[in-house]
Amino acid sequence: METTTSGLEPGLYIVAGPIGNLGDLSPRAADVLRRADVIAVEDTRVSARLLRHAGSDRPMIPYHDHSAEGVRQRLIESMASESVALLSDAGTPLISDPGYKLVRDARAAGRNITTLPGPSAAIAALTLSGLPTDRFLFMGFLPAKQKARADALAEVAALRATLIFYESGPRLSESLAAMAEALGDRDAAVSREISKAFEETRTGTLTGLSALYADAPPKGEIVVIAGPPGEAPPPSAEDADAALIEAMERLPVSKAAGKVAKKLGLDRRALYARAMELKG
Ligand code: SAM
């Protein structure tokens, strides 16, 4: 089998790093970081610290998926005869981090690709939440703009799955409130600073947690977990009427019916017909 001077087979090595605690770098990942011919990183200053910890003096090159096409092509060419490690600032590459296009194009070029699996904040927070883990959807960062955020949430409101979001402290309370509005109030958990000195997980409902963080935006890195829609009994006709009347005060009939349908998990057409009756 062909190997490079470092003893590693040529190809791409996707290396998961720690999400806070350097001790979480696996011995096998550290070994690859010491031996790879080159290490593609997001930020050379951030990765320099991890490389020092791993005892690696291997050269780094900055890589982002929006890097010039030429940078990616050169990396893919070098993978034919050299070992290229891909490392993120934190956690698993490709997960809300660069690397997808590099892996896609390396596959298309028939390069060897392997992974050194390890921490990811999404999975760590899911396991801390106490919420169902049998079906989950990783949502990454929600869009910053209100309308785009509401649309992204509306798309998944009816899914019977636990939802995982990356978030920042200053936006946390507002995002939790937007989730409650679009998904209906649900059990939720907020984990921050996982594996670091001030690790903390708070649980409650989306609205309760939104209120908790409204006056004191938390510091540090944050993951929000929202449980699946509850198994509550279907809303009564009176509840549906009340929601329709309230929505029609702000919205045209068809939009009001759509919004209530999503919120209460009811049939949109039936609600539209009922809304017309109520209006009439
Ligand atoms: N690739 C990383 C992974 O596998 O988790 C995620 C990178 S993404 C750019 C960074 C986001 O991940 C942060 O804004 C935060 O939402 C989340 N995150 C990273 N480290 C974390 C930690 N120690 N505790 C809580 N959330 C964390």
Side-chain angles (χ1 to χ4, degrees):
M1 185 184 299
E2 193 191 350
T3 55
T4 64
T5 47
S6 60
L8 289 177
E9 263 186 79
L12 176 61
Y13 294 74
I14 303 165
V15 179
I19 56 168
N21 190 322
L22 293 180
D24 292 337
L25 181 72
S26 78
R28 204 162 75 86
D31 183 57
V32 165
L33 294 179
R34 280 191 296 270
R35 292 161 68 199
D37 291 304
V38 63
I39 306 177
V41 300
E42 282 187 86
D43 183 321
T44 51
R45 278 170 310 174
V46 174
S47 289
R49 183 164 166 255
L50 185 65
L51 295 194
R52 264 197 309 279
H53 169 80
S56 166
D57 60 0
R58 308 311 299 147
M60 291 183 270
I61 46 166
Y63 174 77
H64 292 268
D65 279 335
H66 56 257
S67 295
E69 193 67 22
V71 175
R72 184 158 53 249
Q73 282 321 313
R74 275 198 296 283
L75 280 171
I76 292 193
E77 271 159 37
S78 62
M79 285 170 207
S81 57
E82 291 184 346
S83 50
V84 176
L86 174 68
L87 183 66
S88 281
D89 286 355
T92 300
L94 283 83
I95 306 302
S96 288
D97 267 341
Y100 155 66
K101 290 182 180 172
L102 189 65
V103 174
R104 179 195 65 187
D105 293 358
R107 281 226 170 273
R111 302 294 183 247
N112 291 325
I113 305 176
T114 189
T115 182
L116 290 293
S120 184
I123 298 296
L126 177 67
T127 61
L128 285 167
S129 69
L131 292 165
T133 55
D134 54 334
R135 284 178 114 205
F136 57 85
L137 176 67
F138 176 59
M139 296 284 292
F141 290 97
L142 281 171
K145 294 209 172 113
Q146 214 176 332
K147 162 92 169 71
R149 180 174 64 192
D151 289 349
L153 288 166
E155 258 178 49
V156 298
L159 280 186
R160 302 227 145 261
T162 294
L163 305 174
I164 307 175
F165 304 88
Y166 285 164
E167 208 21 286
S168 71
R171 292 194 341 182
L172 178 62
S173 175
E174 196 191 314
S175 285
L176 289 164
M179 288 175 201
E181 164 83 17
L183 306 174
D185 206 6
R186 296 185 182 187
D187 289 335
V190 172
S191 283
R192 60 183 202 93
E193 297 290 89
I194 299 168
S195 79
K196 304 189 208 175
F198 298 104
E199 173 176 329
E200 174 186 70
T201 295
R202 298 271 190 126
T203 58
T205 59
L206 289 168
T207 45
L209 289 165
S210 172
L212 178 73
Y213 290 113
D215 295 330
K219 294 213 166 67
E221 300 198 279
I222 291 161
V223 184
V224 175
I225 310 286
E231 300 297 336
S236 65
E238 291 75 28
D239 287 347
D241 282 359
L244 275 176
I245 291 164
E246 193 267 327
M248 282 192 299
E249 281 169 12
R250 293 176 285 121
L251 299 168
V253 177
S254 70
K255 281 211 166 147
K259 194 160 176 111
V260 174
K262 252 179 215 148
K263 192 165 177 185
L264 301 183
L266 294 174
D267 180 69
R268 186 195 167 108
R269 281 195 193 181
L271 279 177
Y272 180 74
R274 179 62 185 153
M276 291 305 282
E277 272 175 34
L278 288 169
K279 211 179 173 205

